[in-house]
Amino acid sequence: MKILFIGSRLYDDIDWYVKSKNIESVLTESNEEAINLDLPDQVFIVPRGMDGPKQVALMQNVDAIVPLIGIDPPLIDVAHMKEEVEKEYDIPVVAAGVRAVELTSNKIRTKEFYQEIGVVTPDYQILNSPDELSLDFPVVLKQGEGQGGKDIKIAEDMDDVKDYFEEFNQALCEEFIEGSEISIEVLGFNGEYVALPPIYKGETTLEGTHPLNKVKTGPCIVEGLDNNLVQHTAYKVAKNLDSDGIFEMDFMYSAKNDQLYAIEVNTRPNGTRYLTTATCGINSLCELVNMAIGEFSLPSIADRLEYHYSTEIPIGNYEGPAPKQPVKSFEANDFVVHGPEGYQRITARANSKNELENLIEKLV
């Protein structure tokens, strides 16, 4: 079996799994200085875009293509490449299709999509000037495109809105939901979908604290919230997107309103994947490989589900004991260190809350 992987930044997360499956790995990357280029069997440096990877896939006669892209801008090009390669060359590409990417890459279209399928989302309006605002403060101002908290502002008064419009001509404005932030991964392939356990990412703040700076835990335990509701809603969203790969969804739960709100959905690997793996034993990136080699199935995932308490803590630079090889695998470790130097995080798991607290004391 030979698989083409597109993008090297995330490849070290699955290199151990690819080798364990005796898969011949081919990788394309546009940056010759990128990390992890020493790991695959073959590496091809290609121009930006999807024409280079497509040509390498045909030249190498690969059996499948797995994009490992964790940012939004290239996703639409990947989607168009997927449709062409699958139709003309019968090579499966484990990624979202054009419709799914178009619906999820623009926050305004995502809002409209939620309303079409009957999923509750915070009230919103499109502002072309501050004077059009009709929602009560505080409100959240966003741009249609962007990720990782980019171009998001929590406005507490009209001066904040006017300040935002000094930089932007338009804004997606939605009501600020006071409550719990939740993330969940859904895996989908060939019309089958499975929602993994939800992850708790902390409480909303008027300061707009970035998720990377918060302590997160799994599974999600929020008083009054039924995790089955989160999983059912996430499944409904993925089913209606009708595409392949990883769907990462963000929700808010308001205890005051006893309401779950859908915020956004991404069709790419996400920042909570380590915590999901630690919590339930299912690694979403490894499942992309399973999709490519024909080993993805809902019964298989059900048989492999585990139940752990887990947490993810930002630590800057990790100086604790070294994890076992492979260092990115929870199959050999009860903790994984990830992220660039200066911004590292540690994700750890245990069979009880007390065991987890003791483990964290040893590590940090």
Side-chain angles (χ1 to χ4, degrees):
M1 187 77 177
K2 182 189 288 189
I3 297 179
L4 170 67
F5 297 93
I6 303 176
S8 68
R9 187 175 68 86
L10 306 182
Y11 185 76
D12 60 331
D13 280 4
I14 59 168
D15 178 64
W16 63 274
Y17 190 71
V18 172
K19 288 181 168 57
S20 74
K21 291 291 185 178
N22 294 316
I23 295 169
E24 184 178 351
S25 55
V26 181
L27 185 142
T28 61
E29 172 59 56
S30 60
N31 177 11
E32 61 183 10
E33 302 297 326
I35 61 174
N36 302 324
L37 297 182
D38 58 324
L39 299 178
D41 295 314
Q42 295 187 75
V43 172
F44 293 86
I45 303 299
V46 298
R48 290 186 181 275
M50 289 300 117
D51 188 62
K54 181 185 73 173
Q55 296 303 325
V56 171
L58 299 177
M59 176 182 65
Q60 289 291 311
N61 193 29
V62 301
D63 298 293
I65 300 173
V66 177
L68 296 175
I69 296 174
I71 57 176
D72 290 339
L75 296 181
I76 191 62
D77 291 336
V78 171
H80 283 294
M81 182 270 291
K82 168 188 173 71
E83 295 193 354
E84 176 189 353
V85 168
E86 290 186 340
K87 180 179 179 180
E88 297 188 11
Y89 304 102
D90 199 29
I91 301 174
V93 180
V94 184
V98 172
R99 174 180 173 272
V101 173
E102 288 180 342
L103 286 174
T104 60
S105 61
N106 183 285
K107 294 180 177 63
I108 298 172
R109 294 199 65 180
T110 304
K111 287 279 195 180
E112 295 169 345
F113 169 67
Y114 285 148
Q115 292 181 322
E116 289 172 5
I117 65 174
V119 169
V120 178
T121 188
D123 289 340
Y124 73 99
Q125 62 180 127
I126 309 303
L127 296 183
N128 293 300
S129 75
D131 296 336
E132 296 177 354
L133 178 64
S134 61
L135 297 174
D136 294 332
F137 289 108
V139 295
V140 182
L141 302 174
K142 304 177 180 179
Q143 291 300 291
E145 299 179 355
Q147 69 182 85
K150 184 176 184 296
D151 300 329
I152 294 179
K153 179 183 181 67
I154 297 175
E156 299 185 61
D157 53 38
M158 186 57 70
D159 287 339
D160 287 340
V161 179
K162 291 178 179 178
D163 288 344
Y164 192 80
F165 270 84
E166 289 184 1
E167 184 174 357
F168 302 103
N169 296 320
Q170 188 182 72
L172 168 61
C173 176
E174 67 179 21
E175 64 173 324
F176 175 80
I177 303 299
E178 183 179 355
S180 305
E181 299 182 35
I182 300 153
S183 181
I184 184 172
E185 287 183 289
V186 179
L187 303 175
F189 191 63
N190 286 340
E192 292 190 315
Y193 302 90
V194 57
L196 300 178
I199 299 302
Y200 173 68
K201 299 199 298 183
E203 299 298 296
T204 55
T205 64
L206 290 175
E207 292 75 23
T209 306
H210 195 282
L212 291 181
N213 298 322
K214 292 184 176 182
V215 174
K216 310 178 188 71
T217 58
C220 177
I221 301 176
V222 174
E223 185 176 355
L225 174 63
D226 183 354
N227 282 345
N228 289 325
L229 173 63
V230 182
Q231 291 178 299
H232 174 78
T233 307
Y235 175 89
K236 179 178 181 179
V237 172
K239 185 74 173 178
N240 279 276
L241 286 172
D242 188 26
S243 197
D244 297 335
I246 299 170
F247 303 88
E248 186 263 343
M249 305 180 200
D250 291 330
F251 292 90
M252 298 282 191
Y253 174 69
S254 167
K256 176 182 177 181
N257 301 330
D258 189 24
Q259 180 64 59
L260 182 70
Y261 298 90
I263 304 300
E264 65 178 62
V265 53
N266 301 300
T267 56
R268 52 170 169 77
N270 66 92
T272 58
R273 64 185 185 276
Y274 295 100
L275 200 48
T276 301
T277 305
T279 302
C280 70
I282 303 299
N283 184 318
S284 57
L285 290 188
C286 293
E287 292 306 315
L288 294 182
V289 176
N290 287 340
M291 294 173 191
I293 64 178
E295 294 186 8
F296 175 82
S297 73
L298 303 191
S300 172
I301 288 179
D303 288 343
R304 291 182 284 120
L305 275 176
E306 302 173 1
Y307 301 92
H308 303 278
Y309 290 94
S310 62
T311 188
E312 183 174 298
I313 302 173
I315 54 173
N317 287 311
Y318 178 69
E319 299 178 353
K324 300 175 183 176
Q325 294 290 339
V327 297
K328 290 295 188 72
S329 169
F330 280 102
E331 293 185 6
N333 294 286
D334 50 15
F335 72 97
V336 166
V337 179
H338 50 99
E341 289 188 9
Y343 300 92
Q344 288 183 322
R345 286 163 285 163
I346 183 168
T347 300
R349 72 179 188 183
N351 293 323
S352 70
K353 291 183 178 180
N354 287 339
E355 290 180 16
L356 183 60
E357 291 174 359
N358 293 335
L359 174 60
I360 291 300
E361 287 182 6
K362 295 177 182 178
L363 297 176
V364 300

